[in-house]
Amino acid sequence: SLAQVESYLYYLSPSGVCLFDGSFATSIGDNFGTVKYSGGVAGSVDYKYYISMQDQSGVWHLFVYDTRKGIWCREDALHVYGFAYNLGELYALTDTRILAMKGTVGAEEADFDWFAESGDIGLDLPDFKYVSRLVLRTKIGEGSVLRVLVSYDDGDYMEVAHNFEKNLRLTQIPIIPQRCDHMRIKLEGRGSFRLYSISKVIEQGSEL
């Protein structure tokens, strides 16, 4: 699982994924919670650390760590036997295929289902201020599907937008939140999609 990204060494240890800066090893796997992984195989390209590893139930996962943003993403259940870097591309060997992780060569991958979920977004503000809406700036690929769901105060998710207008320009999706302490946003869909920002619009209320 050893792979170098810039001047740092990344690897899977018995206690989780770690970063070694030449002097000290630091854990970067807190996002995985209490789940233990083993059998890690890793590679790197463009400031990203790719690692395929197996959880305690025997299921394989391909994770990607963006070393500049400090963000982990799970791509899929791909079991990789080995990675190799060549001429700006990272190749992954599976049981039946060789995959180009950046997609610079070979046949383009078919559309797949995906989702992304935010953490808690606080809406309780002082001085009678409140969040009147949240605005998502997005770009949705032609033929792609997008669903926007929200959860208030740890409740069930509810759909608030589906298959919003698709074009090559940026699209703004407004969400009018209910009065609550906190909320979460979940995006799910199929095909190409890009989220540029989530903005709060705050207004001033008045005392009754």
Side-chain angles (χ1 to χ4, degrees):
S1 63
L2 294 169
Q4 182 177 342
V5 183
E6 296 185 288
S7 58
Y8 300 103
L9 182 67
Y10 296 81
Y11 62 96
L12 176 64
S13 75
S15 60
V17 181
C18 294
L19 174 156
F20 181 66
D21 63 4
S23 299
F24 300 98
T26 304
S27 173
I28 58 169
D30 291 345
N31 289 10
F32 298 123
T34 60
V35 179
K36 299 294 184 181
Y37 293 92
S38 61
V41 175
S44 63
V45 65
D46 289 353
Y47 314 110
K48 294 181 179 179
Y49 175 71
Y50 290 77
I51 181 168
S52 174
M53 50 189 181
Q54 188 178 36
D55 65 24
Q56 294 158 300
S57 62
V59 178
W60 285 90
H61 307 264
L62 176 64
F63 294 101
V64 185
Y65 182 65
D66 188 317
T67 62
R68 292 195 166 181
K69 295 183 174 65
I71 296 175
W72 279 103
C73 292
R74 182 189 182 276
E75 290 210 346
D76 50 31
L78 190 66
H79 180 189
V80 179
Y81 292 89
F83 286 98
Y85 176 87
N86 184 56
L87 299 177
E89 179 62 86
L90 181 66
Y91 296 92
L93 174 65
T94 71
D95 54 352
T96 59
R97 299 172 296 171
I98 297 177
L99 304 176
M101 306 310 292
K102 292 176 58 180
T104 60
V105 295
E108 185 174 346
E109 184 178 15
D111 288 344
F112 54 86
D113 295 329
W114 56 266
F115 78 92
E117 185 177 359
S118 76
D120 290 338
I121 301 173
L123 299 182
D124 188 19
L125 301 174
D127 301 326
F128 307 106
K129 295 179 181 178
Y130 67 96
V131 178
S132 62
R133 67 183 183 276
L134 291 94
V135 180
L136 282 63
R137 297 180 67 245
T138 70
K139 182 181 287 186
I140 307 170
E142 184 175 356
S144 299
V145 175
L146 171 67
R147 296 179 66 222
V148 182
L149 305 97
V150 297
S151 166
Y152 298 108
D153 291 337
D154 303 320
D156 295 334
Y157 275 103
M158 302 178 294
E159 182 178 303
V160 295
H162 178 81
N163 218 28
F164 217 79
E165 178 187 1
K166 300 186 271 299
N167 53 49
L168 297 179
R169 297 170 298 174
L170 293 180
T171 299
Q172 293 193 353
I173 303 176
I175 299 175
I176 309 299
Q178 299 178 5
R179 291 296 179 94
C180 62
D181 177 74
H182 62 273
M183 64 179 290
R184 285 178 176 243
I185 298 174
K186 184 176 184 180
L187 307 175
E188 58 182 34
R190 183 176 183 85
S192 63
F193 167 79
R194 179 171 291 184
L195 174 66
Y196 289 94
S197 66
I198 300 177
S199 304
K200 289 181 180 179
V201 178
I202 298 175
E203 297 189 11
Q204 179 69 55
S206 58
E207 185 178 3
L208 295 178

